[in-house]
Amino acid sequence: MQPLSLHFLHEQAGARFQEANGREVVADYGDAEAEYRAARESVALHDATYREALRITGEDRTSFLHGMVTQDVKGLAAGASAYTALITVKGAMVADARILRRENDLVLDVEPGLGGKVREFLEKFLISEDAELHDATEEQGVLRLLGPRTPELLGAVLGQPFAPLAPHTTRGATLAGQDVLLQGATWPSPQGVDVWVPRSGLEAVWKALVAAGSGLGLRPLGWRALEVLRVEAGVPRYGQDMVDTTIPLEANLTHGISYNKGCYIGQEVIARATFRGHMNRKLAGLRLGTAETAPGTELKKDGKKVGWLTTVVRAPGSGQSLALGYVHRDHLEPGTVLTVGDGPAEATVSALPFA
């Protein structure tokens, strides 16, 4: 398991650790419910440096990546980012990623453990283009700020008022003596900001953010609380809710697909499915009540399998479980009641994001 760069700081803060696809993450700091509340009500700081990154250079980098992903890369301005999927010629997912376009390169930010897989997939199609792939995981890392007081915190640490960032936009800044890139996040709240930090500056930036947030209710936030926020926002995670047989439209990833960009790997499958107007199954929200249920459990209607659970979390303070899962298109109407496993537990279909 690859340890976090800031392992010792998290340990000092009372962290408990777990593994995510070969990389260490903080599970929690002893009180996941308080961490969750901070992200909802004040501000929370999450170490996302377990994520992996690829950097693409060369004159043809933009046109090459444009033909490899579902998103429009050529249309991205320098400093902009976008969510995308990488899919096979049969339309099945290889991974999802966040693309960041900079002046001299492109960066792909991916889930832990997927850097090598994505690089192998891209290299398979890299033939005569002037483009080169680099492992950028050890070059920089992301520290994630969540919560409504994020602008206050950044204003305090930067020494001037901070104008909120729109999702997918970026702004350069100097923080704790480090040149960082601030990026508007898309969930769980519009005030969130991801801070891209050189690996050598992570400790200084983390400490500066913690110190500036001491009067704002800041708490460090672990994986467990982040997963609750993710499920409530209806955001699927590759490796949990999406696998190598998932078609992006099944996972509600239309925001990661450009329908005007021209050819890319797997485009025909996406176009055909879009023209047909429906998928046989789609990712849905599910309310499970107090039932203790594991991911992978089947969902049934009148004794017939109509889906399965992918992520299950316990909503803090309520004792109620929420889940993401795939449900057949005939049973996607919010309020539809399904049997969980062999019963008697039930799941109620909910629109996403959860209210």
Side-chain angles (χ1 to χ4, degrees):
M1 181 171 66
Q2 181 68 32
L4 288 164
S5 299
L6 299 180
H7 177 97
F8 71 100
L9 283 182
H10 299 309
E11 201 168 38
Q12 291 173 2
R16 295 183 289 192
F17 300 92
Q18 67 180 68
E19 182 262 348
N21 208 11
R23 300 190 74 92
E24 181 180 69
V25 302
V26 174
D28 60 56
Y29 296 87
D31 191 344
E33 186 172 332
E35 297 163 30
Y36 169 88
R37 285 200 307 272
R40 284 294 186 204
E41 300 169 9
S42 52
V43 61
L45 175 60
H46 176 72
D47 183 351
T49 58
Y50 50 80
R51 292 182 64 84
E52 299 184 6
L54 290 172
R55 192 162 56 84
I56 309 176
T57 59
E59 289 295 321
D60 298 333
R61 62 185 181 275
T62 302
S63 58
F64 169 67
L65 188 61
H66 186 83
M68 296 298 300
V69 300
T70 59
Q71 189 59 270
D72 180 0
V73 182
K74 292 180 180 179
L76 284 179
S81 67
Y83 177 78
T84 193
L86 297 90
I87 61 177
T88 69
V89 293
K90 295 183 178 181
M93 289 188 68
V94 175
D96 64 342
R98 180 169 51 173
I99 305 169
L100 173 62
R101 184 169 185 175
R102 303 190 295 195
E103 287 290 349
N104 299 313
D105 60 16
L106 294 161
V107 177
L108 285 176
D109 170 47
V110 301
E111 290 285 342
L114 291 185
K117 180 184 181 183
V118 170
R119 181 170 185 169
E120 181 181 354
F121 174 75
L122 294 175
E123 285 180 335
K124 184 168 61 175
F125 295 94
L126 184 56
I127 302 171
S128 60
E129 295 87 354
D130 179 10
E132 188 172 352
L133 303 173
H134 313 266
D135 182 354
T137 302
E138 298 308 316
E139 295 177 9
Q140 58 194 349
V142 174
L143 301 179
R144 180 163 292 168
L145 288 166
L146 308 94
R149 304 195 75 176
T150 294
E152 282 183 76
L153 170 59
L154 286 171
V157 78
L158 295 172
Q160 59 186 20
F162 178 78
L165 278 165
H168 300 303
T169 62
T170 65
R171 186 183 307 156
T174 301
L175 203 164
Q178 305 295 318
D179 291 330
V180 304
L181 188 68
L182 307 175
Q183 180 176 27
T186 56
W187 65 271
S189 63
Q191 302 96 337
V193 172
D194 283 353
V195 186
W196 292 70
V197 187
R199 285 275 170 177
S200 59
L202 282 171
E203 181 179 352
V205 172
W206 178 274
K207 287 181 174 178
L209 292 171
V210 170
S214 61
L216 299 174
L218 180 142
R219 277 185 174 268
L221 179 140
W223 179 274
R224 289 177 55 205
L226 187 69
E227 281 289 272
V228 176
L229 294 164
R230 179 181 71 79
V231 169
E232 288 181 339
V235 176
R237 178 165 60 82
Y238 190 88
Q240 185 72 33
D241 310 288
M242 301 179 289
V243 294
D244 59 9
T245 56
T246 304
I247 295 173
L249 295 173
E250 294 176 329
N252 304 324
L253 301 189
T254 52
H255 59 289
I257 300 171
S258 170
Y259 291 95
N260 304 308
K261 61 172 284 184
C263 296
Y264 60 89
I265 303 297
Q267 180 202 20
E268 290 185 3
V269 176
I270 298 298
R272 193 161 56 244
T274 302
F275 177 77
R276 193 172 65 223
H278 67 261
M279 300 299 297
N280 284 334
R281 61 184 179 226
K282 294 196 75 173
L283 193 72
L286 296 145
R287 296 183 183 274
L288 303 177
T290 58
E292 294 283 349
T293 310
T297 303
E298 291 184 351
L299 298 169
K300 298 179 180 180
K301 188 67 174 179
D302 299 326
K304 179 182 177 181
K305 179 182 175 181
V306 296
W308 68 94
L309 302 176
T310 56
T311 300
V312 181
V313 298
R314 182 73 69 170
S318 70
Q320 304 291 306
S321 291
L322 302 177
L324 298 178
Y326 287 94
V327 176
H328 190 276
R329 59 189 174 92
D330 291 342
H331 306 286
L332 284 168
E333 182 68 26
T336 301
V337 177
L338 306 174
T339 302
V340 178
D342 294 323
E346 294 180 332
T348 303
V349 176
S350 173
L352 292 174
F354 285 98

